[in-house]
Amino acid sequence: VLKQAGHECVMFDQANPDTPNDIIIDQINREQRHLKYLVNAAGTFKPTPFLDHTKADYASYLELNKSFFFITQAVAGNMKRHGGGAIVNTASISGLLGDYAMAAYNASKGAVVNYTRALALECAPTITSPLAQPFETQLSSCRRIWRRRNPRRSQIGAPTVIPRTVRAFSPVARPYTRS
């Protein structure tokens, strides 16, 4: 949707060791163009009972979200220098409600939810920062588990909704929206 509207889009994998965050952040800080939008849609999912989690499991969830914290910081700096923008973070509904065999994941996504609230307060009014959730994952195994364990949650947004959410919170739409 954003590309169709004439916007240049760059996508990268925050968990990929071949694209270290320091290089990405340095590139963002050197960028002279106005970065108008940022969508953080990072996640990994490995159902593990609480008593079976290892330090490495927990660290992997936290490391992924730490990466988008600092990337967001760099992009927000660019947006502030250029007059504003929109940052949309995605998180799982598990950040609000607990799920079985997902304690580390729940904690990580809960951190994203509260981080987004803080970001919205600190960056307003020039940068909007809504939280878009829940979104269905492309991983069919996760989708099956999620639906089986959460039959009461019937409204799940498809990944294609994310670009429309970004446009809804764009600087043009800002007077009509709230974070």
Side-chain angles (χ1 to χ4, degrees):
V1 172
L2 291 173
K3 279 186 178 182
Q4 292 170 349
H7 298 285
E8 179 183 350
C9 298
V10 178
M11 190 167 101
F12 57 91
D13 183 350
Q14 293 172 329
N16 184 345
D18 294 333
T19 55
N21 291 326
D22 292 342
I23 292 172
I24 296 165
I25 291 168
D26 186 51
Q27 182 178 349
I28 292 167
N29 286 331
R30 286 193 323 261
E31 186 61 57
Q32 296 301 311
R33 293 178 297 166
H34 182 186
L35 303 175
K36 296 177 186 172
Y37 309 103
L38 173 65
V39 178
N40 284 309
T44 184
F45 179 69
K46 179 184 165 191
T48 307
F50 172 70
L51 294 175
D52 296 338
H53 268 292
T54 65
K55 288 180 182 179
D57 291 335
Y58 191 74
S60 71
Y61 288 114
L62 296 181
E63 190 63 32
L64 185 62
N65 291 325
K66 182 176 88 173
S67 69
F68 94 60
F69 179 95
F70 290 105
I71 290 168
T72 301
Q73 186 181 55
V75 171
N78 174 286
M79 289 176 174
K80 187 173 183 173
R81 286 190 303 277
H82 293 281
I87 298 170
V88 177
N89 291 331
T90 61
S92 170
I93 194 69
S94 298
L96 298 172
L97 306 170
D99 281 312
Y100 174 78
M102 295 170 53
Y105 179 82
N106 293 341
S108 172
K109 292 306 173 185
V112 171
V113 170
N114 280 311
Y115 160 68
T116 303
R117 290 174 179 152
L119 185 65
L121 290 171
E122 274 195 58
C123 294
T126 57
I127 300 171
T128 58
S129 185
L131 181 68
Q133 65 179 12
F135 285 95
E136 192 172 282
T137 178
Q138 293 297 315
L139 302 173
S140 60
S141 61
C142 295
R143 189 179 305 132
R144 280 194 311 273
I145 291 168
W146 198 87
R147 287 192 172 168
R148 185 178 68 238
R149 291 191 177 145
N150 301 286
R152 67 190 181 281
R153 299 181 193 152
S154 59
Q155 299 215 347
I156 304 170
T160 55
V161 173
I162 295 173
R164 290 195 304 264
T165 303
V166 173
R167 290 184 69 196
F169 284 93
S170 72
V172 173
R174 187 178 305 123
Y176 309 102
T177 59
R178 293 200 176 185
S179 296

